[in-house]
Amino acid sequence: WAILVITIGLVFILEFINSSLEQIVDLVIPEIKEKPKVAKDVAAAGVLVSAIVAILVAAFLFLPKII
Protein backbone atom coordinates (compact mmCIF):
# COMPACT_ATOMS: atom_id res chain seq x y z
CA TRP A 1 0.00 0.00 0.00
CA ALA A 2 2.78 2.42 0.82
CA ILE A 3 4.25 2.10 -2.66
CA LEU A 4 0.88 2.88 -4.23
CA VAL A 5 0.38 5.92 -2.02
CA ILE A 6 3.86 7.16 -2.90
CA THR A 7 3.28 6.75 -6.64
CA ILE A 8 -0.08 8.52 -6.48
CA GLY A 9 1.56 11.29 -4.48
CA LEU A 10 4.24 11.52 -7.14
CA VAL A 11 1.56 12.03 -9.80
CA PHE A 12 0.07 14.90 -7.80
CA ILE A 13 3.46 16.49 -7.16
CA LEU A 14 4.38 16.33 -10.84
CA GLU A 15 1.00 17.80 -11.78
CA PHE A 16 1.62 20.73 -9.42
CA ILE A 17 5.07 21.25 -10.92
CA ASN A 18 3.62 21.04 -14.44
CA SER A 19 0.90 23.59 -13.64
CA SER A 20 3.35 26.02 -12.07
CA LEU A 21 5.77 25.63 -14.98
CA GLU A 22 3.00 26.42 -17.45
CA GLN A 23 1.99 29.53 -15.49
CA ILE A 24 5.59 30.75 -15.26
CA VAL A 25 6.16 30.21 -18.99
CA ASP A 26 2.94 32.08 -19.78
CA LEU A 27 4.05 35.00 -17.59
CA VAL A 28 7.57 35.21 -19.00
CA ILE A 29 6.71 34.53 -22.65
CA PRO A 30 3.10 35.56 -23.37
CA GLU A 31 3.31 34.98 -27.13
CA ILE A 32 3.24 31.46 -28.54
CA LYS A 33 6.70 30.19 -29.49
CA GLU A 34 8.04 26.72 -30.19
CA LYS A 35 10.54 26.27 -27.33
CA PRO A 36 8.17 27.21 -24.49
CA LYS A 37 5.56 24.92 -26.05
CA VAL A 38 8.07 22.06 -26.04
CA ALA A 39 8.85 22.69 -22.36
CA LYS A 40 5.15 22.56 -21.51
CA ASP A 41 4.66 19.39 -23.56
CA VAL A 42 7.61 17.65 -21.89
CA ALA A 43 6.29 18.54 -18.43
CA ALA A 44 2.85 17.22 -19.38
CA ALA A 45 4.44 14.03 -20.70
CA GLY A 46 6.17 13.57 -17.35
CA VAL A 47 2.80 13.72 -15.62
CA LEU A 48 1.38 11.20 -18.10
CA VAL A 49 4.27 8.78 -17.55
CA SER A 50 3.93 9.04 -13.77
CA ALA A 51 0.18 8.35 -14.03
CA ILE A 52 0.84 5.28 -16.18
CA VAL A 53 3.40 4.04 -13.65
CA ALA A 54 0.87 4.52 -10.85
CA ILE A 55 -1.66 2.44 -12.80
CA LEU A 56 0.94 -0.28 -13.36
CA VAL A 57 1.82 -0.34 -9.66
CA ALA A 58 -1.86 -0.60 -8.75
CA ALA A 59 -2.32 -3.42 -11.26
CA PHE A 60 0.74 -5.22 -9.89
CA LEU A 61 -0.64 -4.94 -6.37
CA PHE A 62 -4.32 -5.72 -6.99
CA LEU A 63 -4.53 -8.05 -9.99
CA PRO A 64 -3.11 -11.07 -8.13
CA LYS A 65 -5.84 -10.64 -5.50
CA ILE A 66 -8.59 -10.24 -8.10
CA ILE A 67 -7.56 -13.14 -10.34
Side-chain angles (χ1 to χ4, degrees):
W1 281 95
I3 294 171
L4 183 60
V5 170
I6 290 170
T7 55
I8 291 172
L10 179 66
V11 173
F12 279 108
I13 290 168
L14 289 175
E15 181 58 41
F16 295 146
I17 292 170
N18 178 43
S19 296
S20 60
L21 175 78
E22 287 186 1
Q23 293 300 315
I24 291 169
V25 168
D26 289 341
L27 282 173
V28 174
I29 307 168
E31 61 275 354
I32 298 174
K33 292 187 177 180
E34 186 62 28
K35 287 191 179 183
K37 181 182 177 305
V38 170
K40 289 180 173 184
D41 290 344
V42 169
V47 174
L48 176 64
V49 168
S50 69
I52 291 170
V53 168
I55 291 169
L56 292 175
V57 168
F60 179 75
L61 291 173
F62 295 122
L63 279 180
K65 296 178 186 207
I66 294 172
I67 297 176

